[in-house]
Amino acid sequence: MGKVFLNIMEPEDVEKIIGDLPVKKSVENVLIKEAHRRVLAEDVYATINLPPFSRASMDGYAVRSEDTFKASEDYPVKLRLLESVGAGDIPKNKVEKGTCIEISTGAPVPEGADGVVMVEVTQRKAKNNNSEEVMVYESVTMGENIAVAGSDVKKGEILLPSGALINSNKIGVLSAIGMKKVPVFAKPKVAVISTGNEIVKNDQKLEYGKIYDINSQTISNAVEECGCTPVYSEIVKDDYKSFMGKINEFKDVDLIITSGGTSAGTGDVLRTVLDELGDVLVHGIAVKPGKPTIVGLIPSENDKKVIIGLPGNPVSALVIFHVFVAPFLRKMASLKDEGGKKQTRELKISRRYHSAKGRLHYVLVKVDKETAIPILKDSGAISSLAEADGFIEIPKNVEIIQEGSYVTVMPLSEL
Ligand SMILES: Nc1nc2c(c(=O)[nH]1)N[C@H]1C(S)=C(S)[C@@H](COP(=O)(O)OP(=O)(O)OC[C@H]3O[C@@H](n4cnc5c(N)ncnc54)[C@H](O)[C@@H]3O)O[C@H]1N2
Ligand code: MOO
């Protein structure tokens, strides 16, 4: 396949190409304590009734409701107390006419009882023969203060559908049926590789001409936010052998993201390696920043593996990741809003913005209350990362955005 760098593609076409890339999914069973923020891979049905038995929902006395119908402040009904049942206990007696059983919230309702009188509207009195009686000052209706077995969920009913993101409340639902292991989609593994002779890790000395690695950190975090597991890598030098070696090393990952080495410079070897190993689907997008972005496919064991080459500039790398890569990773991770973008906000732009025509522009913005403030620095400026909350898209045919116009802000991270 010939080089396609000069074949700059429109962003919509690139989104379509990425959207059509192959996605492999597998399922694994994890302990419930490890299921948080994972995606359910099967429908979950109730294996028991919820609640499993009819239980009191108030502290008080289990009664036959008809015994209390005439009860009032002035004419309380007297009921003989048979026993006291706490949560977790099993009642020994049956509630017969004229009797009651003291009951705690969560305890099983004794046979014969069809209502629970709240303790606040009763008074307990000891009698001479060591027995006790309860004065009831208010009536209860049938079923009052009782949660009947299966009234919440019936055994066999669907509790959660496949594809649900297991957050803390959904963990509660799975816990209610005593689930130990939960079927979830395996998290896609994504190798994150920074390339460049000038890049060093933070445990190395910063010699003249070198810079600390930013992209492994920013992109790995962003990968995690998409429900995938980042696999860290050593920095790869700008030479064919190192690059090829590293790509072959990551045989068991689902996708590879590199940064740097995408443009036309002499050290930019990703393109050469991809041309040799597989297919380059995209090399060049009509956007700014991020024009030299690469999307490729290389053969892997049974099918093909996707490689995304992000531009080296940390701002370009992050923006391109959010626009083009994150939706695909979220789809791989089976997150519900498959392919969808993150929650955006419509805000007023703080100043008039002038954009060069011809390419779609992504502009970092700081959000202050209801205003988006454009950050006017180039994509090599790290300080813009410190200020940025998100970015806006300015279509290729728009030159001027007037102060106060509404713009759509895409957030840069989850928090
Ligand atoms: N003749 C041309 N030159 C360039 C073009 C072009 O079309 N023709 N495109 C420019 C654009 S746009 C960008 S963006 C860069 C992208 O090039 P690369 O992807 O090859 O990136 P590098 O040259 O390796 O790096 C660019 C810049 O970013 C720094 N960098 C790289 N990786 C990291 C990292 N992990 N952490 C922190 N900083 C990183 C690197 O040191 C460079 O300063 O090419 C333009 N040139
Ligand atoms: O368009 Mo580059 O990607 O300048 O930053």
Side-chain angles (χ1 to χ4, degrees):
M1 196 190 228
K3 293 205 171 190
V4 287
F5 183 52
L6 293 177
N7 181 16
I8 306 285
M9 293 182 183
E10 290 304 320
E12 308 76 59
D13 297 334
V14 175
E15 275 172 352
K16 166 101 180 58
I17 289 173
I18 295 179
D20 291 342
L21 288 172
V23 173
K24 249 192 338 196
K25 291 190 183 186
S26 57
V27 177
E28 61 184 4
N29 286 301
V30 297
L31 291 172
I32 191 159
K33 65 176 183 200
E34 286 153 13
H36 189 223
R37 298 204 51 80
R38 301 296 299 271
V39 179
L40 203 55
E42 288 169 18
D43 293 342
V44 171
Y45 293 89
T47 48
I48 53 173
N49 279 327
L50 292 175
F53 54 90
S54 295
R55 66 186 180 199
S57 50
M58 293 286 175
D59 294 323
Y61 296 91
V63 298
R64 284 156 37 98
S65 56
E66 65 182 74
D67 285 356
T68 70
F69 284 166
K70 293 209 171 106
S72 69
E73 197 63 41
D74 296 330
Y75 299 102
V77 167
K78 276 188 212 153
L79 298 173
R80 187 161 57 85
L81 183 65
L82 299 178
E83 64 171 313
S84 184
V85 183
D89 291 348
I90 300 172
K92 293 183 203 65
N93 295 285
K94 184 174 169 188
V95 175
E96 310 268 12
K97 190 171 168 50
T99 66
C100 67
I101 288 177
E102 186 183 18
I103 193 163
S104 309
T105 302
V109 175
E111 211 185 311
D114 65 358
V116 170
V117 186
M118 281 166 67
V119 68
E120 294 88 326
V121 296
T122 64
Q123 200 179 15
R124 200 141 142 181
K125 284 205 170 136
K127 289 180 69 181
N128 296 338
N129 58 356
N130 253 353
S131 67
E132 283 184 286
E133 65 182 13
V134 177
M135 315 287 277
V136 177
Y137 293 92
E138 254 180 38
S139 62
V140 280
T141 53
M142 200 190 275
E144 201 171 327
N145 300 327
I146 292 178
V148 175
S151 57
D152 183 5
V153 177
K154 290 224 161 25
K155 184 176 168 177
E157 266 178 23
I158 187 160
L159 272 181
L160 291 176
S162 170
L165 176 67
I166 306 172
N167 53 19
S168 46
N169 47 311
K170 298 211 168 61
I171 286 273
V173 176
L174 302 175
S175 305
I177 58 166
M179 215 165 176
K180 291 185 192 67
K181 287 204 156 184
V182 186
V184 292
F185 287 110
K187 277 191 174 193
K189 281 196 232 147
V190 178
V192 181
I193 308 172
S194 284
T195 71
N197 293 342
E198 77 283 28
I199 314 294
V200 295
K201 292 266 181 197
N202 57 10
D203 56 359
Q204 285 170 272
K205 197 163 167 251
L206 195 68
E207 280 163 355
Y208 182 75
K210 309 281 185 193
I211 55 164
Y212 284 126
D213 175 29
I214 297 170
N215 296 342
S216 301
Q217 301 296 334
T218 52
I219 301 301
S220 296
N221 280 286
V223 161
E224 251 178 332
E225 285 176 6
C226 294
C228 302
T229 304
V231 182
Y232 286 81
S233 158
E234 293 300 308
I235 310 284
V236 175
K237 296 274 178 228
D238 273 328
D239 67 77
Y240 174 87
K241 216 171 136 206
S242 312
F243 217 110
M244 191 62 108
K246 192 47 94 178
I247 285 185
N248 284 326
E249 198 182 293
F250 284 111
K251 282 211 162 35
D252 65 335
V253 300
D254 299 291
L255 186 140
I256 296 175
I257 298 179
T258 67
S259 67
T262 60
S263 78
T266 46
D268 298 331
V269 289
L270 172 61
R271 177 64 204 254
T272 317
V273 167
L274 274 181
D275 271 330
E276 191 170 312
L277 283 184
D279 291 324
V280 174
L281 307 179
V282 177
H283 190 187
I285 314 179
V287 294
K288 187 175 166 60
K291 186 175 97 180
T293 302
I294 297 183
V295 180
L297 278 178
I298 53 166
S300 80
E301 267 164 28
N302 302 321
D303 40 43
K304 294 196 166 173
K305 188 176 322 217
V306 178
I307 298 198
I308 310 272
L310 299 173
N313 270 331
V315 172
S316 319
L318 257 186
V319 169
I320 293 299
F321 178 90
H322 284 292
V323 176
F324 296 97
V325 188
F328 183 66
L329 293 192
R330 294 173 74 78
K331 181 161 118 184
M332 281 175 74
S334 307
L335 289 177
K336 246 303 177 304
D337 56 342
E338 282 201 355
K341 292 187 177 172
K342 285 198 217 162
Q343 281 236 300
T344 55
R345 287 183 73 188
E346 300 297 315
L347 299 175
K348 278 186 179 175
I349 195 161
S350 66
R351 48 165 288 165
R352 186 170 185 265
Y353 185 82
H354 189 269
S355 168
K357 267 171 94 174
R359 275 201 269 167
L360 188 153
H361 276 54
Y362 303 110
V363 181
L364 290 183
V365 294
K366 181 176 165 49
V367 172
D368 183 26
K369 299 195 185 89
E370 295 306 303
T371 319
I373 306 163
I375 300 171
L376 307 173
K377 292 177 181 168
D378 73 46
S379 57
I382 300 312
S383 56
S384 56
L385 290 180
E387 294 170 41
D389 296 304
F391 60 94
I392 57 174
E393 286 184 8
I394 303 186
K396 65 175 179 184
N397 49 1
V398 171
E399 235 174 317
I400 288 168
I401 301 204
Q402 296 295 356
E403 179 185 334
S405 323
Y406 276 95
V407 287
T408 306
V409 178
M410 294 261 299
L412 270 176
S413 87
E414 265 182 352
L415 299 173

